Amino acid sequence: MQRLFRRPSPALVVACLSLFVSLGGVSYAVATIDSADIVDGSIRNRDFKDGTLRGQEAKPDGFGPNAIKEQSLDASKLKQVPSSAVTDGLARQAVIADTGATVRGRAVASSAQTGTGQYVVAFDRDVRQCTYYATLGDESASGPGTGQIAVTSAAANVNGVRVVTRASDGTAVNRSFHLLVSC
């Protein structure tokens, strides 16, 4: 009769024995180390793998604006953000009627119709380095007309923006529009 199992080699016996001993040591360490064995402040953010901390591990107000103690800040080293830096980004805007008149706007110095479907809107400062957005739109609550609109810098005025309105077929036509200048 043939044997189903052969006798293991000595190398296999030594390998299995070392495996069981090593696993037993790791499980012993895991079972005996707890949070009392860790010195406060000895574990830093870089010691944690991303996504391993859960909400229950965080202290209340441990993150975000409430975590900063305002009394510990040196007020002489803080910089105040000027209000113009916060509001200047989209401060220049205009709604222009099909006649070239300014209906409403912010920081608009003047507006004029220079030809059929051609307008120049001047603002209170140099807008050559800004971005221009224009869209056809009525100055009241009625629906906007269909057509095309193009916008560029005004060649003769560094504070100006040139707008051209056209019908859907490409012919120049007077249309009211909304203009936004972002610097």
Side-chain angles (χ1 to χ4, degrees):
M1 183 163 170
Q2 187 179 15
R3 292 178 89 179
L4 294 177
F5 297 107
R6 290 188 303 161
R7 178 183 284 182
S9 68
L12 181 62
V13 172
V14 171
C16 290
L17 183 62
S18 64
L19 177 66
F20 293 130
V21 169
S22 65
L23 289 176
V26 171
S27 62
Y28 173 76
V30 170
T32 58
I33 295 176
D34 63 0
S35 61
D37 296 326
I38 299 174
V39 178
D40 287 343
S42 64
I43 298 179
R44 295 190 265 302
N45 287 344
R46 66 175 184 233
D47 298 326
F48 292 100
K49 183 180 170 188
D50 288 344
T52 58
L53 292 179
R54 297 181 302 270
Q56 61 207 28
E57 283 92 8
K59 291 188 271 182
D61 294 332
F63 307 105
N66 295 332
I68 300 172
K69 295 179 176 61
E70 292 177 14
Q71 64 271 18
S72 68
L73 298 175
D74 185 0
S76 65
K77 294 182 181 178
L78 297 177
K79 292 185 179 181
Q80 186 69 25
V81 177
S83 62
S84 63
V86 176
T87 60
D88 195 41
L90 299 176
R92 288 162 187 78
Q93 55 202 11
V95 176
I96 308 297
D98 59 353
T99 60
T102 302
V103 176
R104 60 186 175 273
R106 179 178 294 153
V108 178
S110 65
S111 65
Q113 182 179 20
T114 59
T116 302
Q118 298 181 20
Y119 305 89
V120 174
V121 181
F123 291 94
D124 64 348
R125 65 171 279 228
D126 184 350
V127 293
R128 287 179 295 182
Q129 300 300 316
C130 301
T131 305
Y132 318 119
Y133 305 93
T135 183
L136 295 175
D138 197 66
E139 64 269 12
S140 63
S142 65
T146 59
Q148 305 169 13
I149 190 165
V151 62
T152 187
S153 299
N157 185 355
V158 297
N159 295 1
V161 176
R162 183 171 174 260
V163 179
V164 177
T165 59
R166 302 185 188 285
S168 296
D169 62 3
T171 59
V173 64
N174 296 334
R175 294 272 197 252
S176 57
F177 60 90
H178 295 231
L179 176 64
L180 179 67
V181 177
S182 176
C183 300

